[in-house]
Amino acid sequence: MNAFDVLSDPVRRRTLELISQKEHASGEIVKVVEAEFGISQSAVSQHLRILRDTGFAKVRKDGAKRCYEIDPSGFDDVNDWLDQLRHFWASKMDALATEIERGKQSDKALR
Amino acid sequence: MNAFDVLSDPVRRRTLELISQKEHASGEIVKVVEAEFGISQSAVSQHLRILRDTGFAKVRKDGAKRCYEIDPSGFDDVNDWLDQLRHFWASKMDALATEIERGKQSDKALR
DNA sequence: GAGTCATATTAGTAGTGACTAATATGATTG
DNA sequence: CAATCATATTAGTCACTACTAATATGACTC
């Protein structure tokens, strides 16, 4: 599974939000995601495996617990691709177009 | 379909690469994608529709032709989400801080 | 207007991936 | 060691989405 496929799942995005703030045990993630998405422990565990396997999350053992932390390296491909695209279109955008884009941007609400 | 789902398809990513460099007629995109992915005109047209509907592409009529150009507004949600995540983990990870700042600078450049 | 070119739409199909239920593993506690 | 807690894995199912084939739309040309 590639980085874009990883990010296309809402449960995985929510999980990344959680572990980007601070390390969380699997059980803590399960609790939040279970409440918000109504899925099982098994489902969450499978998502965590994907995040591990694709370099988006690191795990630390703490007794029986597994503590998940974000691993920025998973985002490398995504960032590179987005930067590449920006590079191309940025060069052809003139000052006026840039102004218009600024207007659109400031209307957007942050999630 | 949300922005992350849009970017999770390789044909759509390739199409965005093409139209980010310069405007392309549908037929030109079909030719490239057909050669690289071995899919039909119909399939490409369906992808183009998705890119239109989700704000990733703008169309201009030129007689019977449809010329596609990139629309940066489709990327707003993705950029916002990634920025939000970076913001959280940036404080923890000093080594990455400079890299992130560079990324933010180039974000500003196109607004 | 008939024919052709360029693109879009529709209906139906197949493969992928997200899910649950059940079970396995492995650490802790009594 | 048995029981329990925390998490991972496996097998099987279902829904979604990307695809093809066929057809529709709409713009040029003769």
Side-chain angles (χ1 to χ4, degrees):
Chain A
M1 184 167 304
N2 80 67
F4 289 97
D5 291 326
V6 173
L7 296 186
S8 74
D9 187 275
V11 171
R12 288 195 288 266
R13 287 200 301 277
R14 185 71 182 99
T15 303
L16 288 171
E17 286 173 13
L18 291 172
I19 66 175
S20 73
Q21 308 196 36
K22 62 185 266 294
E23 170 182 277
H24 284 285
S26 175
E28 296 169 341
I29 299 165
V30 167
K31 239 185 231 168
V32 174
V33 170
E34 212 161 31
E36 293 180 4
F37 294 87
I39 66 174
S40 68
Q41 175 266 327
S42 170
V44 177
S45 183
Q46 290 172 64
H47 283 301
L48 289 172
R49 185 192 224 292
I50 289 171
L51 292 176
R52 269 186 277 130
D53 290 351
T54 54
F56 282 88
K58 288 180 283 196
V59 204
R60 182 178 64 85
K61 294 190 186 181
D62 174 24
K65 295 190 179 176
R66 296 296 129 96
C67 295
Y68 285 83
E69 186 191 11
I70 201 145
D71 181 354
S73 69
F75 292 88
D76 287 349
D77 288 348
V78 173
N79 287 330
D80 288 351
W81 188 85
L82 289 171
D83 282 344
Q84 180 202 354
L85 236 67
R86 278 188 202 107
H87 176 256
F88 281 124
W89 84 57
S91 58
K92 64 170 190 184
M93 274 168 60
D94 61 347
L96 178 59
T98 310
E99 270 308 299
I100 291 162
E101 273 313 304
R102 196 202 309 264
K104 283 187 189 168
Q105 285 287 79
S106 52
D107 287 340
K108 277 276 169 188
L110 224 75
R111 323 167 73 243
Chain B
M1 184 168 301
N2 80 67
F4 289 96
D5 292 326
V6 173
L7 296 185
S8 74
D9 187 275
V11 172
R12 289 195 287 266
R13 287 200 301 276
R14 185 72 182 99
T15 303
L16 288 171
E17 286 174 14
L18 292 171
I19 66 175
S20 73
Q21 310 196 36
K22 61 186 267 296
E23 169 182 278
H24 285 284
S26 175
E28 298 168 339
I29 299 166
V30 167
K31 241 184 231 169
V32 174
V33 169
E34 213 161 31
E36 294 181 3
F37 294 87
I39 65 173
S40 69
Q41 176 266 327
S42 170
V44 177
S45 182
Q46 289 172 64
H47 283 301
L48 289 171
R49 185 192 224 291
I50 290 172
L51 292 176
R52 267 186 278 128
D53 290 350
T54 53
F56 282 89
K58 287 179 282 195
V59 203
R60 182 178 64 85
K61 293 190 187 180
D62 174 24
K65 295 190 179 176
R66 296 296 129 94
C67 296
Y68 284 84
E69 185 190 13
I70 199 143
D71 181 353
S73 69
F75 291 89
D76 287 349
D77 287 346
V78 173
N79 288 330
D80 289 349
W81 188 83
L82 289 171
D83 281 345
Q84 182 202 353
L85 236 65
R86 278 188 203 106
H87 175 257
F88 282 123
W89 85 57
S91 52
K92 307 188 301 188
M93 320 205 75
D94 277 8
L96 222 67
T98 47
E99 176 67 27
I100 291 157
E101 275 312 305
R102 253 212 304 278
K104 282 183 180 170
Q105 285 301 102
S106 54
D107 281 349
K108 277 177 188 169
L110 60 60
R111 285 176 189 154

